Amino acid sequence: MTSHLAALWNDIEIAMHPSLMDTLLKWLTDSDRQVVIATHSFDVLHSLTLIEPRDAKVILLRKDDNDVIHHKSLEIDELEEILEKGIDPRAIIESLVE
């Protein structure tokens, strides 16, 4: 029986040398773990587009003035297109809230 471990990592980029980010993300995507990463970092998002992890999703969250949380789910290739166009991914979810 294979053991599937899950992990939640909030602000993965905090207190980490930038040169380690790609290595860590690659290690996580190659492992047999389900990992949820919360970040505000464009560098982490960019690294994900380079690694192209299988079965990965990016979920953008935004809370409106009434404390309702809105979300938008993106595939890695969609995120890559957005970043290549110079669009801030947060602008996408903000447009859904307004």
Side-chain angles (χ1 to χ4, degrees):
M1 179 193 310
T2 303
S3 174
H4 295 282
L5 301 172
L8 171 62
W9 201 326
N10 189 32
D11 290 327
I12 193 170
E13 70 281 358
I14 300 297
M16 181 181 302
H17 193 277
S19 66
L20 292 176
M21 184 56 60
D22 291 344
T23 303
L24 175 62
L25 290 174
K26 181 73 174 137
W27 178 75
L28 289 172
T29 60
D30 288 344
S31 69
D32 192 23
R33 293 176 179 85
Q34 180 180 16
V35 180
V36 177
I37 298 171
T39 187
H40 296 98
S41 169
F42 289 110
D43 292 333
V44 172
L45 295 178
H46 179 71
S47 290
L48 282 174
T49 65
L50 297 176
I51 294 169
E52 297 181 336
R54 64 185 184 281
D55 302 328
K57 297 237 188 261
V58 173
I59 302 172
L60 306 170
L61 300 174
R62 174 85 167 136
K63 186 166 57 169
D64 67 19
D65 294 337
N66 296 317
D67 287 337
V68 175
I69 297 176
H70 300 268
H71 75 282
K72 171 77 175 163
S73 179
L74 300 173
E75 301 289 333
I76 294 298
D77 58 339
E78 292 174 302
L79 174 65
E80 184 176 16
E81 286 178 31
I82 290 166
L83 293 175
E84 284 177 353
K85 292 178 182 177
I87 299 171
D88 182 339
R90 294 172 294 195
I92 295 168
I93 192 68
E94 286 176 6
S95 68
L96 296 175
V97 174
E98 295 173 351

